[in-house]
Amino acid sequence: MTQQAVKKELARAARELKELLDRAAGQISSGESRELEQWRHLCENCRQRLEEDLLRMAVVGTIKSGKSTFINSLFSGDYLKRGAGVITSIVTRVRRSDLLEAVVYFKSWEEINSEIRQSLNLFPSAGWRSSAEPFDIRNQSDRRDLRQALTSLETGYLVNRDSRSVSSVLLDSYLQGYDKVAGIVSDQTETRSYTGRNFHEHQAFAGDQALAVYLKDLELFIDSGDMAENIEIADCQGSDSPNPLHLAMIQDYLHTSDLIIYLISSRTGIRQADLKFMSMIKQMGAMGNVLFVINCDFNEHENLDDLKRVRDQVRQDLALLTPSPAVYTFSSLYALFLDIRDFLTEKDRARLDQWRGDQALAQFSQKEKTRFEADFNHLITEHRYMLLLKNQLQRMETVSSDFAQWLAFNQKVFSSDASGADALVSQIREQQKKTEKIRSMINSTFDGACRQLKKELKTNTDRFFDLRHGQVVPAVVDFIRSYHISPDQYRAMLSENGLSETLLVVFQDFKDRLDVFMAEQINPRLFGFVAENEAYAFEYLESICRPYESMIRETLADFGQHGGPGQENSDRQSVGKPAPVSIDGVKKAHGIAMPNAAATFDYTRGIQTEAFMKLGFFRMVQGIKKLVNRSGSAGNADFSALESGVARMKQETEATVVFHFKNYRENLKFQYLFLLIDAVAGEMSQWLIQRFQTYATDLNRIREIGNRSQEEKKHSLAEMAEMISELERIKGQVNSLEKSLGRQSPGGGGAGTGDKDP
């Protein structure tokens, strides 16, 4: 049985078990049973998790590697705009649905103005503005001033290391797109939905950099292709985007992804930008979840041998980073054109016919695409999906077992007369004392475990962020201190633009370089550190959970004399299993998220260039004349003053970065790691304690049942006999599903097994 079939059958079993619990609540306990209510909730939660739990797949690669075309080919249609600009500031999320819909989420005015204010350090002084109030793009005078200021800026401010500066592109884009979005954006996050024939209107926002900067999120629901509805595919920005914030956004999505598809263009093979990004993925500890696709451009290859030469070289390069990489070589555009050939333009149809004419290339591409799809479909259901199914199967198994215990117990109650009910009450009281001790032990043990874990993770985190010997702060400090300026690079600018304006150009270059260093070197180390400590904490708590699960099973088995046939044997089958809790499920249920990667850039908020110049730099101006008089060279004096200004800038930045990482360290501990420990421990202990619900019975209710008429008891016993029979059928179904899932071996098609020639 396939895992999709297991999922479908398990969801049906959860629904049937909930209906049976509803029946028991109405006919046996008169709807007053707390344990039945909790089991009903667990069944409903199980069904919802099976339907809603997302498997996330990130499609990454450098600019123009064919990411959007690849995703279009997966959904057999031209849905994502191909060739979208590199300025796109969002990760586009795509899912299968019964309705074709694009949902566009816009930033609020506060978010927009905050981004703009961060970029205003591009300007040498505040003299370009006619207002002293904080910049607000909604004010016509602010837009006019900004437009004039951008126009008047020298090339040195707009171009940084042979490309336009990120700040100038961002500001210019906000100005260009304002009129088109002013009627949509508000103080809250606004959304626009485009369905049916209007679906492609979303591409105007994704493909136009002047509009894309206003977007916060973009989600597409597509009604074609063979993707399961619980798989989310993310079209990420190019990993070599000039904006380091884009890389941080990709890192945030990779942290939550179950699978990564890395696109490599056959035109270029692996470039330096690819190696850098793959090294970052490896630092994050995610390289084992990567499939590599060499996206072929048929027009670039004379024949199949030439394409295979590129493929073999890519394999050799990848082997330096990961053993036995899974590599697939096919043309996403060719696959897409085959799917939509009836809707192609005359020009594209001619291209398709030309490619089909080269049978060797075309057949090779199709076979590789088929091989990729087979391995991909296996992988997306192997790891987290398998864990999801196993967890929910265990929940169902436990609920059905405990419900059977509850029914058997109630059979005993309804079979007793008044004196028998009194004896049963006495026996239950003794059992409750025993279970209460175990409850207390569970709570006490988990409390102690949480304290110990927090102590260990606090030590680990403090050591990781240590100012002298940690893995991030010393590296950033070293980068700042090693930054130097070249006299040849800035002498001409000093003579033409003056000292203060040149210092601002230096600051812009310094800030951009530091942002890139943060994104490429620091963030991956952070994610790797967090993943390692998450796994340690979960394994620690799970090791505590196991012996208590066994203890609970044994305690329940002691009461097996009240159970039906096979009840003790059913309990023993599950002895020692851990609580069905997953760390991803806990994060989702409790809304716990790691501080995002972009937060590492917040140090720039503390570097206010204008304030720095007022407080520090201009104090040196008075000394320049004396320096000029002594040196006899104005040029040397200017450069000496520039060096002094840069030294002060580096000192201020270092102090700000150190302070920033202290805050980040505390947020990571108290707002993420400690919360996660408490949440995981809480769910595990709650799961264990819920197993004792049979003994939480109202003892007065037992006496009341013992005094009922024989006819009423007979009717209730008949109802319970039917329920037990129905429950045994459901339990058999759950056990069969568990065996079916256990027979599915995890091998075949995983990362590292998929690069044989077809």
Side-chain angles (χ1 to χ4, degrees):
M1 183 182 293
T2 67
Q3 289 177 351
Q4 278 285 23
V6 171
K7 172 187 171 183
K8 184 177 180 180
E9 288 300 309
L10 182 57
R12 186 174 72 174
R15 184 178 65 253
E16 291 176 347
L17 181 54
K18 182 179 180 296
E19 291 172 353
L20 195 60
L21 289 163
D22 290 340
R23 181 180 169 188
Q27 298 185 12
I28 299 177
S29 69
S30 303
E32 298 175 355
S33 173
R34 185 173 59 181
E35 57 268 33
L36 290 180
E37 181 57 36
Q38 289 183 340
W39 292 331
R40 289 154 71 188
H41 174 74
L42 285 170
C43 288
E44 180 61 22
N45 180 262
C46 172
R47 186 188 63 78
Q48 290 178 354
R49 283 292 308 277
L50 289 168
E51 292 179 356
E52 298 174 1
D53 196 76
L54 281 180
L55 293 164
R56 292 181 172 86
M57 183 183 84
V59 178
V60 300
T62 57
I63 296 168
K64 301 296 183 182
S65 58
K67 299 182 293 295
S68 298
T69 302
F70 171 80
I71 295 176
N72 281 336
S73 71
L74 293 180
F75 287 92
S76 304
D78 226 346
Y79 299 106
L80 281 79
K81 186 176 181 65
R82 292 183 272 133
V86 299
I87 195 65
T88 301
S89 56
I90 52 174
V91 171
T92 302
R93 299 179 292 117
V94 189
R95 290 177 62 183
R96 178 71 169 80
S97 178
D98 294 331
L99 174 68
L100 183 64
E101 181 182 23
V103 183
V104 182
Y105 301 83
F106 291 86
K107 299 172 185 174
S108 68
W109 286 123
E110 178 55 36
E111 290 170 322
I112 292 166
N113 283 320
S114 177
E115 284 189 4
I116 292 175
R117 291 164 193 157
Q118 282 287 300
S119 298
L120 292 182
N121 57 29
L122 180 70
F123 299 105
S125 69
W128 61 274
R129 292 197 61 204
S130 58
S131 171
E133 295 297 320
F135 184 93
D136 191 332
I137 194 172
R138 289 170 289 185
N139 295 333
Q140 185 176 359
S141 60
D142 280 350
R143 296 197 304 276
R144 181 187 65 244
D145 290 346
L146 180 56
R147 190 173 291 109
Q148 291 175 350
L150 284 171
T151 303
S152 64
L153 273 179
E154 298 290 340
T155 303
Y157 297 110
L158 300 176
V159 178
N160 190 7
R161 299 193 297 279
D162 299 323
S163 63
R164 286 193 67 186
S165 73
V166 173
S167 295
S168 68
V169 172
L170 184 73
L171 294 173
D172 189 50
S173 299
Y174 270 126
L175 287 175
Q176 288 187 40
Y178 176 81
D179 290 336
K180 293 183 179 179
V181 303
I184 301 176
V185 179
S186 74
D187 292 333
Q188 310 296 326
T189 298
E190 294 290 337
T191 62
R192 287 292 184 273
S193 176
Y194 301 93
T195 60
R197 294 180 179 179
N198 298 324
F199 172 83
H200 288 87
E201 291 182 21
H202 84 272
Q203 294 183 351
F205 294 98
D208 185 345
Q209 65 185 26
L211 301 180
V213 293
Y214 283 93
L215 301 190
K216 186 174 185 177
D217 196 5
L218 177 58
E219 193 170 16
L220 306 183
F221 298 91
I222 296 175
D223 60 349
S224 66
D226 298 323
M227 283 290 149
E229 292 187 1
N230 72 320
I231 297 176
E232 179 179 274
I233 301 176
D235 185 13
C236 298
Q237 305 98 320
S239 59
D240 53 345
S241 165
N243 189 343
L245 182 59
H246 293 176
L247 182 56
M249 292 177 178
I250 297 172
Q251 291 165 340
D252 283 329
Y253 195 87
L254 292 183
H255 183 60
T256 64
S257 296
D258 304 290
L259 186 66
I260 301 170
I261 308 295
Y262 197 105
L263 272 289
I264 301 167
S265 172
S266 71
R267 295 191 304 273
T268 61
I270 292 183
R271 299 183 296 161
Q272 185 65 31
D274 290 301
L275 291 174
K276 185 182 295 185
F277 188 54
M278 291 176 196
S279 297
M280 183 205 74
I281 294 175
K282 188 173 184 179
Q283 274 190 294
M284 294 177 65
M287 188 59 83
N289 298 325
V290 181
L291 298 181
F292 297 95
V293 173
I294 302 174
N295 202 9
C296 304
D297 185 342
F298 284 173
N299 295 330
E300 292 290 322
H301 304 283
E302 291 292 332
N303 50 47
L304 180 57
D305 288 339
D306 182 57
L307 176 59
K308 287 186 175 182
R309 176 189 59 79
V310 174
R311 178 202 61 186
D312 293 342
Q313 183 61 52
V314 169
R315 283 181 182 169
Q316 292 179 27
D317 293 339
L318 289 175
L320 299 175
L321 291 170
T322 181
S324 303
V327 182
Y328 308 83
T329 309
F330 57 88
S331 170
S332 299
L333 189 59
Y334 178 64
L336 176 63
F337 277 8
L338 284 178
D339 286 334
I340 62 173
R341 52 185 172 272
D342 294 339
F343 306 98
L344 292 175
T345 63
E346 185 175 340
K347 180 180 179 180
D348 285 341
R349 192 175 295 114
R351 294 167 69 190
L352 176 60
D353 291 340
Q354 178 188 352
W355 295 339
R356 295 176 74 178
D358 191 333
Q359 293 187 6
L361 272 175
Q363 290 177 3
F364 176 85
S365 179
Q366 283 298 92
K367 288 180 180 179
E368 282 283 88
K369 178 74 167 13
T370 301
R371 186 169 65 89
F372 166 80
E373 289 173 343
D375 288 356
F376 167 75
N377 288 329
H378 179 80
L379 276 175
I380 61 177
T381 58
E382 179 182 320
H383 298 294
R384 180 160 168 245
Y385 198 27
M386 178 74 80
L387 180 62
L388 168 69
L389 290 176
K390 285 184 175 179
N391 278 343
Q392 300 310 319
L393 272 167
Q394 187 181 339
R395 284 176 181 266
M396 289 293 297
E397 178 194 50
T398 304
V399 170
S400 59
S401 177
D402 290 350
F403 181 36
Q405 185 84 29
W406 185 89
L407 284 171
F409 170 75
N410 275 275
Q411 274 187 316
K412 182 69 174 179
V413 172
F414 278 86
S415 300
S416 302
D417 54 20
S419 60
D422 288 338
L424 194 57
V425 165
S426 178
Q427 187 176 2
I428 290 295
R429 279 205 178 103
E430 290 302 314
Q431 203 69 17
Q432 284 178 338
K433 292 178 182 178
K434 183 177 180 180
T435 58
E436 190 56 40
K437 289 180 181 179
I438 297 178
R439 284 174 186 255
S440 178
M441 289 171 60
I442 291 172
N443 287 327
S444 177
T445 303
F446 272 102
D447 285 345
C450 286
R451 286 194 297 271
Q452 178 63 27
L453 262 180
K454 289 177 182 179
K455 182 179 179 181
E456 290 186 34
L457 264 59
K458 178 183 183 301
T459 300
N460 293 347
T461 306
D462 290 343
R463 186 182 296 122
F464 182 79
F465 286 97
D466 185 78
L467 299 183
R468 293 187 177 183
H469 307 293
Q471 296 187 39
V472 290
V473 180
V476 178
V477 169
D478 183 64
F479 178 88
I480 293 171
R481 292 179 179 177
S482 63
Y483 178 83
H484 295 289
I485 58 174
S486 167
D488 295 336
Q489 183 179 359
Y490 292 106
R491 284 194 191 279
M493 185 178 295
L494 276 168
S495 62
E496 293 177 8
N497 300 327
L499 196 55
S500 62
E501 294 192 7
T502 302
L503 180 60
L504 263 295
V505 173
V506 173
F507 171 77
Q508 189 70 32
D509 176 73
F510 171 69
K511 174 185 174 297
D512 288 348
R513 288 176 185 267
L514 184 54
D515 282 348
V516 170
F517 180 77
M518 287 283 195
E520 293 180 351
Q521 300 296 325
I522 301 304
N523 287 347
R525 299 179 194 180
L526 277 173
F527 282 116
F529 168 78
V530 169
E532 180 181 338
N533 282 271
E534 281 180 356
Y536 172 75
F538 186 80
E539 290 171 5
Y540 186 98
L541 292 171
E542 192 176 51
S543 69
I544 292 173
C545 195
R546 285 179 182 273
Y548 278 112
E549 175 68 17
S550 299
M551 186 184 299
I552 290 167
R553 291 284 183 178
E554 292 170 3
T555 301
L556 295 177
D558 289 343
F559 206 64
Q561 57 186 314
H562 303 292
Q567 181 62 39
E568 284 191 57
N569 183 57
S570 173
D571 287 336
R572 280 196 293 267
Q573 290 177 0
S574 300
V575 169
K577 287 188 177 182
V581 175
S582 72
I583 201 161
D584 288 336
V586 171
K587 289 180 189 177
K588 182 177 179 181
H590 295 264
I592 300 173
M594 176 183 170
N596 61 47
T600 57
F601 299 154
D602 281 350
Y603 67 89
T604 56
R605 297 181 186 274
I607 307 172
Q608 300 295 333
T609 306
E610 188 70 22
F612 156 66
M613 293 185 67
K614 286 180 179 178
L615 295 174
F617 173 71
F618 283 122
R619 294 177 182 175
M620 296 184 294
V621 173
Q622 293 178 348
I624 291 177
K625 293 182 180 180
K626 296 179 181 179
L627 188 62
V628 171
N629 293 334
R630 287 199 299 269
S631 67
S633 170
N636 290 337
D638 282 349
F639 189 76
S640 296
L642 178 63
E643 285 185 315
S644 298
V646 170
R648 175 66 183 274
M649 174 188 73
K650 290 163 61 176
Q651 291 174 1
E652 293 292 323
T653 303
E654 181 179 328
T656 303
V657 166
V658 169
F659 179 76
H660 164 74
F661 273 116
K662 286 182 180 178
N663 287 336
Y664 191 93
R665 177 193 66 197
E666 297 307 298
N667 285 336
L668 185 63
K669 285 190 297 190
F670 292 99
Q671 301 302 318
Y672 182 67
L673 292 174
F674 290 1
L675 288 181
L676 189 60
I677 289 171
D678 287 336
V680 172
E683 290 217 359
M684 285 185 176
S685 61
Q686 183 183 27
W687 175 258
L688 294 173
I689 290 172
Q690 282 177 344
R691 307 299 315 284
F692 291 123
Q693 288 306 311
T694 299
Y695 304 115
T697 301
D698 181 1
L699 300 184
N700 290 328
R701 175 176 167 272
I702 296 177
R703 291 193 178 93
E704 183 272 325
I705 291 173
N707 292 323
R708 290 184 186 180
S709 67
Q710 289 299 318
E711 188 65 28
E712 190 176 1
K713 290 180 180 180
K714 184 177 179 181
H715 175 75
S716 295
L717 287 169
E719 288 284 345
M720 279 186 276
E722 291 182 11
M723 291 181 192
I724 289 172
S725 176
E726 178 67 10
L727 180 59
E728 286 301 315
R729 183 190 65 79
I730 295 174
K731 288 175 66 178
Q733 184 180 353
V734 171
N735 290 335
S736 176
L737 291 174
E738 186 173 33
K739 291 177 182 177
S740 176
L741 197 63
R743 286 193 295 267
Q744 299 180 29
S745 62
T753 66
D755 58 352
K756 296 180 181 178
D757 287 336

